Amino acid sequence: DVVVLSSMFDDAVIPIETLFRSLVEMPAIERVALESAYGDILDVGAGSGCHSLALKGLGKRSVAVDISPLSVQVMKERGLDARLVNFYDPSFTETFDTILMLMNGSGIIGKLENMGAFFSKMKQLLNPGGCIYMDSSDLRYLFEDEDGSFLVDLAGGYYGEIDFQMQYKQVKGEPFDWLYVDFQTLSYYAQENGFKAELVQEGEHYDYLACLKLA
């Protein structure tokens, strides 16, 4: 299993099979996004390629990108159009009708202060009328007291900004920032940057799927 470390929470575990799940094993919000995706599709932070494989099974084509060389190697071995790309790279200029950011896809934004750069890049990558399907979670529930009050240090930054580090057996990666963003906050930043956010579906545990389109 992959162990997820954080200075803010207890260690968590991601079973390896979760990273290689099939369409029927995915949560409803991911299935909705995959079934709704159309045209030229970009799978951002594709990992093992499970979402792109599901798209292939649905008769759709996608480009899967990741910053991990070994992830890209695995995806190519699985028959996918996989590329070693950081989607923020200025040289990455292809355009797409659907951009998928799934499995808490908002995470790669890192921090709220990066929202401007994120939406600026999306304006370059998204075809007219296209949609970004992004899922995330509202971590507010982690800070609620029994009486429903919200126990968070408002001076300490946004409560969805988390630091993570991944470990597999004896191999430990570098720490990185990860952003969980509530839908209202996402909608605010979308509007500030010329996009409109639509709540497509809510999950079973404070998670949701949003569709972001140019306003």
Side-chain angles (χ1 to χ4, degrees), residues 137-213:
S137 299
D138 185 353
L139 297 191
R140 184 186 183 98
Y141 72 94
L142 294 174
F143 302 94
E144 281 185 346
D145 202 356
E146 293 180 358
D147 63 1
S149 58
F150 190 40
L151 303 176
V152 65
D153 180 8
L154 296 178
Y158 179 63
Y159 62 86
E161 294 179 343
I162 310 296
D163 63 87
F164 280 139
Q165 192 172 17
M166 312 287 274
Q167 182 172 349
Y168 178 68
K169 296 182 178 179
Q170 302 305 312
V171 180
K172 187 180 290 187
E174 293 295 321
F176 58 92
D177 295 322
W178 196 254
L179 178 66
Y180 294 90
V181 59
D182 67 278
F183 180 71
Q184 289 72 26
T185 300
L186 177 63
S187 297
Y188 168 79
Y189 280 96
Q191 185 174 3
E192 287 288 296
N193 289 277
F195 281 76
K196 180 180 180 180
E198 174 192 348
L199 182 62
V200 177
Q201 182 150 332
E202 293 183 279
E204 298 178 355
H205 194 66
Y206 303 94
D207 54 330
Y208 66 89
L209 176 68
C211 174
L212 302 163
K213 292 185 176 181

Side-chain angles (χ1 to χ4, degrees), residues 1-214:
D1 293 339
V2 175
V3 180
V4 183
L5 314 170
S6 175
S7 67
M8 304 172 69
F9 303 106
D10 294 336
D11 295 353
V13 170
I14 302 176
I16 287 295
E17 57 266 26
T18 300
L19 304 176
F20 289 86
R21 63 198 184 282
S22 64
L23 180 62
V24 296
E25 296 170 315
M26 294 177 188
I29 58 176
E30 292 182 18
R31 295 199 303 270
V32 168
L34 294 169
E35 290 162 2
S36 303
Y38 69 94
D40 293 321
I41 303 168
L42 176 65
D43 183 5
V44 180
S48 69
C50 62
H51 295 120
S52 281
L53 272 178
L55 289 168
K56 192 173 182 179
L58 292 170
K60 304 178 183 184
R61 66 183 189 278
S62 63
V63 173
V65 298
D66 205 285
I67 60 172
S68 163
L70 292 177
S71 287
V72 172
Q73 178 183 328
V74 167
M75 288 191 285
K76 287 182 176 179
E77 290 173 359
R78 302 182 86 188
L80 297 173
D81 180 0
R83 305 177 194 176
L84 184 63
V85 169
N86 182 329
F87 91 113
Y88 286 109
D89 191 323
S91 65
F92 183 52
T93 58
E94 291 182 55
T95 58
F96 301 88
D97 301 301
T98 305
I99 298 177
L100 296 176
M101 301 181 65
L102 300 179
M103 201 175 178
N104 286 307
S106 65
I108 66 171
I109 300 172
K111 290 182 177 292
L112 286 182
E113 66 188 41
N114 299 331
M115 281 286 193
F118 167 74
F119 281 112
S120 177
K121 185 62 181 182
M122 285 303 181
K123 287 177 182 177
Q124 298 175 21
L125 297 179
L126 201 60
N127 285 330
C131 178
I132 305 159
Y133 284 104
M134 175 195 292
D135 66 356
S136 193
S137 299
D138 185 353
L139 297 191
R140 184 186 183 98
Y141 72 94
L142 294 174
F143 302 94
E144 281 185 346
D145 202 356
E146 293 180 358
D147 63 1
S149 58
F150 190 40
L151 303 176
V152 65
D153 180 8
L154 296 178
Y158 179 63
Y159 62 86
E161 294 179 343
I162 310 296
D163 63 87
F164 280 139
Q165 192 172 17
M166 312 287 274
Q167 182 172 349
Y168 178 68
K169 296 182 178 179
Q170 302 305 312
V171 180
K172 187 180 290 187
E174 293 295 321
F176 58 92
D177 295 322
W178 196 254
L179 178 66
Y180 294 90
V181 59
D182 67 278
F183 180 71
Q184 289 72 26
T185 300
L186 177 63
S187 297
Y188 168 79
Y189 280 96
Q191 185 174 3
E192 287 288 296
N193 289 277
F195 281 76
K196 180 180 180 180
E198 174 192 348
L199 182 62
V200 177
Q201 182 150 332
E202 293 183 279
E204 298 178 355
H205 194 66
Y206 303 94
D207 54 330
Y208 66 89
L209 176 68
C211 174
L212 302 163
K213 292 185 176 181
L214 280 163

